[in-house]
Amino acid sequence: MIDTQPPRGTRDFFPEDMRLRNWLFGEFAAVSASFGFEQFDAPVLESEELFVRKAGEEITDQLYNFEDKGQRRVALRPELTPSLARLVLQRGKALTLPAKWFAIGQCWRYERTTRGRRREHYQWNMDIIGVPGVEAEAELLAAIVALFERVGLTKEDVGIKVSSRKVLQSVLTQYGVPPESFARVCVIVDKLDKLPREKVEEELAALGVPAATIDGVLSALSLRSLEALGDLVGRDSEAVADLNRLFELAEGYGYKDWLVFDPSVVRGLAYYTGVVFEGFDRAGQLRAICGGGRYDRLLGSLGGADSPMVGFGFGDAVIVELLKDKGKLPAPPHTVDDVVVPLDASLRPAAAGIASRLRRAGRRVDLVLEAKKMKWAFKHAEKLHASRLVLVGASEWERGNVVVKDLAKFEQAEVPADSL
Ligand SMILES: Nc1ccc(Br)nc1
């Protein structure tokens, strides 16, 4: 027999898994719709060049890339943002700005399965193109909070750490680190909560960032108030102005208590240029729930004209682990409205006609396809959480009737078949 397991690092979604996934994606789509966003999608398979960045990111180190039968260098997308950028460049001046787009798509990595981690997950992305002010970031943070609230999480369960890469930029400038090293330094500094400090210092030193600078960077990242940040980088710094404005807007939206200023948040993607943020569980048991930020120079890095862009990615795995931990994971049942049962093989065409009519009327109908006893039909209807059991029997059918059992009210009636 073939190996019935899915390929290493991937998942199957049996019907009960798909019901949960459809519920979660339904919440993603509902939040996106409530914020007026339009959905886009792009191929899972992209040209490799879309993702080649020389900043030592894990996401590009683990690119799921290969050469196809036409000797083309291709890759399974590790994230959705570069595809979004490609579509924006493709649409060019025809794209009306600001554009608010969302997507839910499978993303891949080729992880050496020494750690046995998954190689695919689904990500919900929301992005705003063409808005230079932090009003865009505030809107996206509101969407994340809306999602958390919709799935039953509170500000006691989760929060969103917020900072700006401009903090790191001003510190590095103070220490004379050249701007061209900025992206790589960010990628390394992002590893602080994953690697021992010595390892981070080693990697920074390999970039030519002297130890004294590292101390300066690390002390900046340990600040815990915007006031202290202002003292360090200057009250009129862009980072402070952006973050003060962001917290003021958060007050207006009513989600300020969900936010935590945390300059240690850098995020691991090279292309972020401004505000960055990540959702976290306050119990500190899990990896980041979601993350995002501003990336105003991604289009330029792909050879196009820059446009202000900001967005986030929200994976389908950590949120499910968190809801499970909180006992808030729904188990959507398989439900139909009606079960239609012919009580005799000769009544099967009649039963099929009744099922068709009910379906055209918008009912979800399970038509029993084999000769079954009443007892089985009852059990089957209960398992399907059906509202009604419609029995097509010879004597009633002669009168143009069927027997309908209301399974909620435990009532039964003989009614004309065309009255259903
Ligand atoms: N980028 C990425 C892709 C796939 C998984 Br699983 N995690 C991260």
Side-chain angles (χ1 to χ4, degrees):
M1 180 168 77
I2 57 148
D3 178 356
T4 60
Q5 290 304 304
R8 189 186 291 274
T10 68
R11 297 166 292 175
D12 294 322
F13 289 84
F14 283 94
E16 61 275 16
D17 307 314
M18 273 312 287
R19 289 197 292 274
L20 178 65
R21 178 173 128 183
N22 287 335
W23 164 79
L24 179 62
F25 290 13
E27 294 303 316
F28 290 159
V31 169
S32 303
S34 77
F35 280 71
F37 278 56
E38 298 173 88
Q39 188 163 14
F40 79 93
D41 197 4
V44 176
L45 183 74
E46 287 275 13
S47 167
E48 183 186 56
E49 67 174 359
L50 189 61
F51 307 111
V52 174
R53 303 191 289 258
K54 304 219 177 348
E57 299 154 280
E58 185 181 81
I59 201 168
T60 48
D61 291 348
Q62 296 181 341
L63 193 60
Y64 206 129
N65 56 346
F66 54 95
E67 189 161 292
D68 72 8
K69 288 185 165 62
Q71 284 75 48
R72 292 178 195 82
R73 296 296 309 168
V74 292
L76 299 181
R77 64 188 177 199
E79 54 169 332
L80 291 164
T81 306
S83 299
L84 166 70
R86 182 173 62 75
L87 269 66
V88 169
L89 291 172
Q90 185 184 144
R91 185 55 49 93
K93 294 199 179 338
L95 179 64
T96 307
L97 297 180
K100 300 173 181 177
W101 287 8
F102 85 96
I104 303 172
Q106 193 173 36
C107 296
W108 293 81
R109 67 183 172 195
Y110 193 86
E111 162 94 24
R112 298 272 166 237
T113 44
T114 38
R115 289 195 277 178
R117 295 199 303 172
R118 289 211 322 279
R119 285 179 169 166
E120 55 77 22
H121 72 171
Y122 283 81
Q123 247 196 30
W124 168 47
N125 278 214
M126 288 180 80
D127 290 83
I128 297 175
I129 302 115
V131 176
V134 295
E135 288 75 10
E137 283 90 329
E139 182 76 341
L140 293 177
L141 290 169
I144 292 171
V145 169
L147 189 281
F148 284 147
E149 289 178 327
R150 285 183 69 103
V151 300
L153 294 172
T154 69
K155 62 183 186 304
E156 281 71 42
D157 297 320
V158 296
I160 306 175
K161 294 174 185 172
V162 180
S163 183
S164 171
R165 281 211 171 160
K166 291 176 184 173
V167 172
L168 201 47
Q169 195 167 27
S170 49
V171 172
L172 293 174
T173 308
Q174 277 176 13
Y175 282 88
V177 174
E180 52 273 14
S181 304
F182 178 61
R184 293 187 73 92
V185 169
C186 287
V187 170
I188 296 168
V189 169
D190 176 61
K191 298 175 188 173
L192 266 175
D193 60 355
K194 304 170 191 78
L195 292 179
R197 170 170 165 153
E198 302 68 52
K199 187 82 178 75
V200 171
E201 289 180 344
E202 238 174 72
E203 291 194 27
L204 287 173
L207 262 190
V209 179
T213 306
I214 296 166
D215 292 339
V217 166
L218 298 179
S219 61
L221 301 189
S222 59
L223 296 177
R224 282 295 174 268
S225 79
L226 277 177
E227 291 72 26
L229 176 65
D231 296 341
L232 179 79
V233 297
R235 295 197 175 289
D236 57 349
S237 83
E238 268 187 52
V240 173
D242 283 350
L243 292 166
N244 277 322
R245 175 75 175 140
L246 187 57
F247 277 88
E248 179 191 10
L249 290 164
E251 182 86 55
Y253 278 98
Y255 64 74
K256 189 178 176 189
D257 294 346
W258 293 68
L259 302 187
V260 178
F261 167 63
D262 181 345
S264 71
V265 172
V266 178
R267 299 299 295 166
L269 293 173
Y271 49 68
Y272 287 133
T273 54
V275 169
V276 286
F277 48 86
E278 70 185 31
F280 70 103
D281 72 299
R282 291 191 190 265
Q285 301 302 307
L286 300 168
R287 309 178 304 289
I289 303 166
C290 59
R294 178 167 289 277
Y295 52 100
D296 287 346
R297 287 200 284 283
L298 181 60
L299 297 184
S301 72
L302 296 172
D306 274 331
S307 176
M309 296 177 83
V310 59
F312 68 78
F314 196 124
D316 69 337
V318 177
I319 186 69
V320 168
E321 288 172 49
L322 177 59
L323 290 171
K324 219 175 273 178
D325 293 350
K326 299 285 180 187
K328 298 185 173 182
L329 193 65
H334 172 40
T335 306
V336 298
D337 300 309
D338 303 322
V339 171
V340 175
V341 190
L343 294 181
D344 180 286
S346 66
L347 293 164
R348 183 157 293 291
I354 290 165
S356 299
R357 191 149 41 72
L358 289 170
R359 286 165 178 161
R360 279 196 296 276
R363 303 279 290 178
R364 294 165 298 172
V365 180
D366 177 86
L367 174 62
V368 175
L369 300 175
E370 299 163 298
K372 293 289 182 188
K373 298 230 179 310
M374 281 286 291
K375 193 159 174 276
W376 180 92
F378 257 109
K379 277 213 171 94
H380 180 63
E382 277 172 7
K383 211 163 52 169
L384 294 184
H385 305 279
S387 320
R388 299 187 306 186
L389 180 58
V390 178
L391 304 171
V392 185
S395 53
E396 295 85 3
W397 187 246
E398 272 169 25
R399 298 190 287 277
N401 295 342
V402 291
V403 172
V404 179
K405 290 180 182 293
D406 181 315
L407 300 176
K409 299 179 198 146
F410 299 104
E411 292 164 3
Q412 164 170 328
E414 180 176 327
V415 298
D418 53 14
S419 70
L420 286 177

